[in-house]
Structure formats: C-alpha cells, structure tokens
C-alpha cells in the first residue's frame, strides 16, 4: 500500500525477502494519512508498534473515529494477539495439568459445546477466542465496524467477560508465562484498561492484583 505524505508517495509494504526485524518499518503520524476503509485498524497497529506500553496513548480515540468503533478495532487486535499468547501458553497449559478452566479457585464451564460443560483450560481458551472472533466478524452483531451502535456494546461485554478468564487463568496458574508475556506485549494491561474505560466487565470480576500498568 502507498500513500501521499506532502508531495511524496510513500510505499508501506513488506516486500518479498524482508527480514522479520525489518517488517512494518513504517509508521503513521496521523490517521488522516491512511486512505483505506481499514484506516482505524492500520493506525492502531502502527500505534502499538511504536507505543506498546503507553496505554493512555493506545486507548485515546483518534480524531474522526467513533469511540465504539475504536473499541471494536482494539478487540479485534486483542484477539489477534491472544492467538499468539495461547500458542505460547500451550506448552504449559496441558489437558493433564489443567483439565478444567479455573481462574484462582473458581471453575468455569465452557459454552463452546452446545450446552455448557467442563472443558480443559486450553480448550476453554481456544473456544472462547473462536467465539470472540466469530462475534466480531458477524454482520448480525456488527453491521458496520466504523459505526458501532450503543446497543451493540453488549457483545463486547459478553466477550470481554469470557476473555478475561483466559488472562486470569494464566496469572494464577501459569504465572511465569503471564509475566513473560506481559513484559513483552502489555496485552493484559491494555485489555483491562479498555474493560474499565468502556465498563465491559464489573470491577468485582477483575481478580488479578493490580499491576503497575493497570493502576
């Protein structure tokens, strides 16, 4: 993809043969530079590459983007990153070691089987992520990602409540993985800040102790 900055056309693409450390080596100074229907998504990803641990900057709604549309883009991005998170957790969170989904001492049933029933923690996590991705991609739930209605926030609340349990399980039962991932990605801090900003999850359900990045 290319765009015009001043009088110069700037190419923004990962060309064949680009080394991993050199990928996405461009940034957007303003969302106005992006002339595509996915401008908010591209701008958010650019912000994360530059300011991954600056949560205030990441959650601030950019000019020209509706507040709930910005939340929508964040939830999509969180799901993308959570997929990588689970692949890292997979070696530690086994069916033998975690036969049911627990966050601290609370056990949760999985809704990914038609009827809710016990499921391994990793199975629950994967099913929950699949559910969130389906919801975000559903035209019935979100007909227009650029104009999210107040009535559609209930979908965010449902998926946020379930996704939070994935982070809580990692914290209470795989602390080393949680801390390593948080030090690398800041994903939990970003998720919790959004949950509080948009009141997606009751404060009583946020059971992981406060981190320096979530206060």
């Amino acid at each position: 993809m290319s765009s015009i900055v001043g009088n110069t056309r700037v190419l923004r693409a990962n060309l064949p043969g680009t080394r991993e450390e050199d990928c996405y080596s461009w940034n957007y100074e303003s969302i106005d530079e992006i002339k595509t229907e996915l401008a908010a998504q591209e701008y958010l990803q650019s912000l994360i590459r530059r300011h991954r641990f600056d949560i205030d900057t990441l959650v601030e709604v950019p000019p020209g983007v509706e507040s709930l549309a910005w939340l929508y883009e964040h939830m999509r991005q969180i799901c993308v990153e959570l997929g990588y998170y689970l692949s890292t957790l997979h070696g530690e969170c086994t069916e033998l070691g975690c036969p049911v989904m627990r966050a601290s001492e609370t056990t949760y049933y999985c809704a990914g089987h038609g009827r809710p029933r016990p499921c391994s923690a990793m199975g629950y996590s994967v099913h929950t992520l699949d559910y969130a991705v389906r919801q975000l991609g559903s035209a019935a739930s979100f007909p227009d990602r650029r104009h999210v209605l107040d009535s559609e926030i209930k979908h965010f609340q449902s998926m946020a409540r379930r996704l939070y349990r994935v982070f809580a399980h990692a914290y209470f039962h795989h602390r080393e993985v949680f801390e390593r991932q948080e030090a690398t990605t800041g994903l939990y801090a970003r998720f919790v800040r959004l949950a509080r900003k948009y009141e997606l999850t009751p404060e009583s359900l946020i059971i992981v102790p406060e981190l320096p990045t979530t206060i």
Side-chain angles (χ1 to χ4, degrees), residues 3-214:
S3 60
I4 302 295
V5 178
N7 295 318
T8 304
R9 180 174 293 277
V10 178
L11 177 66
R12 293 185 170 101
N14 295 317
L15 299 176
T18 303
R19 295 179 300 178
E20 181 179 1
E21 60 268 26
D22 295 329
C23 285
Y24 304 103
S25 58
W26 63 88
N27 291 306
Y28 299 106
E29 296 304 322
S30 166
I31 194 171
D32 294 333
E33 294 179 28
I34 312 171
K35 306 301 181 183
T36 73
E37 291 187 359
L38 301 179
Q41 173 184 296
E42 293 185 43
Y43 184 63
L44 174 59
Q45 291 172 345
S46 176
L47 282 178
I48 291 171
R49 289 193 293 269
R50 288 183 293 162
H51 307 292
R52 179 172 292 277
F53 299 102
D54 185 350
I55 307 301
D56 290 335
T57 294
L58 295 180
V59 302
E60 183 179 353
V61 182
V65 178
E66 296 177 4
S67 181
L68 290 183
W70 192 234
L71 171 60
Y72 176 91
E73 297 301 339
H74 267 288
M75 294 301 288
R76 282 182 62 97
Q77 182 63 27
I78 284 168
C79 286
V80 170
E81 294 184 50
L82 194 56
Y84 293 106
Y85 194 107
L86 292 182
S87 69
T88 301
L89 187 61
H90 187 267
E92 301 286 337
C93 184
T94 65
E95 189 168 352
L96 181 62
C98 301
V100 295
M101 179 55 158
R102 286 198 177 97
S104 187
E105 298 304 317
T106 304
T107 300
Y108 297 101
Y109 279 18
C110 180
H113 306 272
R115 279 187 169 186
R117 67 173 179 81
C119 185
S120 70
M122 181 54 65
Y124 181 103
S125 300
V126 171
H127 296 156
T128 296
L129 181 57
D130 284 345
Y131 154 78
V133 170
R134 286 197 306 272
Q135 280 285 89
L136 290 165
S138 168
S141 298
F142 299 102
D144 187 345
R145 65 192 289 175
R146 292 170 298 178
H147 305 289
V148 179
L149 304 177
D150 289 343
S151 61
E152 293 163 3
I153 198 169
K154 63 180 182 290
H155 302 304
F156 294 128
Q157 292 169 331
S158 177
M159 68 180 75
R161 188 176 66 252
R162 299 183 194 186
L163 289 172
Y164 183 85
R165 297 166 187 167
V166 177
F167 290 108
H169 174 78
Y171 178 85
F172 286 107
H173 301 279
H174 308 285
R175 184 73 56 83
E176 184 177 337
V177 176
F178 177 93
E179 291 178 347
R180 186 167 63 246
Q181 285 296 303
E182 195 61 15
T184 303
T185 70
L187 185 60
Y188 173 75
R190 193 188 330 151
F191 178 83
V192 169
R193 184 71 64 85
L194 289 164
R196 285 173 164 155
K197 176 181 174 69
Y198 291 95
E199 299 182 347
L200 302 182
T201 304
E203 195 66 29
S204 61
L205 297 183
I206 299 178
I207 58 177
V208 173
E210 295 293 353
L211 308 176
T213 49
T214 60

